[in-house]
């Protein structure tokens, strides 16, 4: 397993994969304590200094340690774009798919609501710049990180995952929720 000194999110993910591979070779993949004890032997520099400041509950549990590592070394915007490029693209619908019937027009007495004006390119860029990318982290009752909410595998099948590529990625923008005084 190579030494992990800190750095990018992809470097951190590679380190975690290498630790898993080594644990697999040693038939220790189900032993979170063993993996948590082994992993810091491969840390150096910023990563080792960060590890030294972690709570003992994180240090003693590989599941919590890898979540903490991935939180400390998140993917950069470029890495997020690379993840998007790896996802399968939606296929266009075949040309022979029937078009649904148009909705009925407004009935008498219904309020007509005007469509909002188009958003300018500069306004779109400003809105995107205000957005923050994140994963939704799951913690136990003691505040120890256990993973992230996973990408749904079915209509009611979300679960917790410790694999960053399987986590739901969200973008959020803080907006004013009401009048200020």
């Amino acid at each position: 397993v190579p030494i992990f000194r800190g750095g990018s999110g992809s470097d951190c993910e590679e380190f975690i994969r290498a630790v898993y591979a080594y644990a697999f070779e040693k038939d220790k993949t189900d032993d979170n304590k063993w993996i948590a004890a082994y992993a810091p032997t491969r840390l150096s520099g910023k990563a080792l200094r960060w590890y030294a400041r972690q709570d003992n509950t994180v240090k003693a549990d590989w599941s919590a340690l890898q979540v903490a590592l991935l939180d400390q070394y998140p993917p950069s915007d470029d890495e997020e774009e690379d993840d998007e490029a790896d996802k399968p693209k939606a296929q266009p619908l075949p040309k022979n798919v029937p078009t649904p019937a148009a909705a009925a027009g407004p009935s008498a007495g219904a309020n007509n609501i005007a469509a909002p004006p188009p958003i300018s390119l500069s306004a779109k860029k400003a809105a995107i710049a205000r957005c923050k990318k994140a994963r939704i982290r799951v913690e136990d009752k003691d505040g120890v990180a256990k993973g992230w909410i996973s990408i749904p595998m079915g209509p009611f099948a979300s679960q917790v995952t410790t694999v960053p590529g399987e986590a739901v990625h969200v973008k959020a923008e803080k907006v004013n929720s009401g009048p200020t005084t």
Side-chain angles (χ1 to χ4, degrees), residues 67-154:
V67 169
L69 275 164
L70 291 165
D71 284 347
Q72 178 67 21
Y73 301 101
S76 67
D77 288 341
D78 292 341
E79 291 169 331
E80 290 282 339
E81 290 172 10
D82 291 344
D83 288 346
E84 291 297 318
D86 294 339
K87 289 183 182 176
K89 303 291 185 229
Q91 298 297 317
L93 291 174
K95 295 190 187 315
N96 61 353
V97 173
T99 303
S107 59
N111 293 334
N112 289 330
I113 299 173
I119 299 173
S120 71
L121 182 58
S122 62
K124 284 181 189 177
K125 286 181 179 179
I128 290 169
R130 289 190 308 267
C131 287
K132 300 293 181 195
K133 295 179 185 177
R135 296 181 183 106
I136 300 172
R137 188 166 97 172
V138 177
E139 297 178 350
D140 67 12
K141 64 180 172 48
D142 298 320
V144 176
K146 293 298 181 184
W148 301 279
I149 295 177
S150 72
I151 296 169
M153 301 302 189

Side-chain angles (χ1 to χ4, degrees), residues 23-43:
F24 183 79
E25 286 176 24
K26 299 296 183 185
D27 198 26
K28 296 286 190 176
T29 55
D30 292 330
D31 191 344
N32 275 342
K33 276 187 151 179
W34 184 91
I35 301 171
Y38 171 73
T41 69
R42 310 308 300 157
L43 299 177

Side-chain angles (χ1 to χ4, degrees), residues 6-26:
S8 73
S10 60
D11 290 343
C12 182
E13 291 172 15
E14 287 298 321
F15 170 72
I16 289 171
R17 277 192 289 275
V19 169
Y20 266 130
Y22 187 72
F24 183 79
E25 286 176 24
K26 299 296 183 185

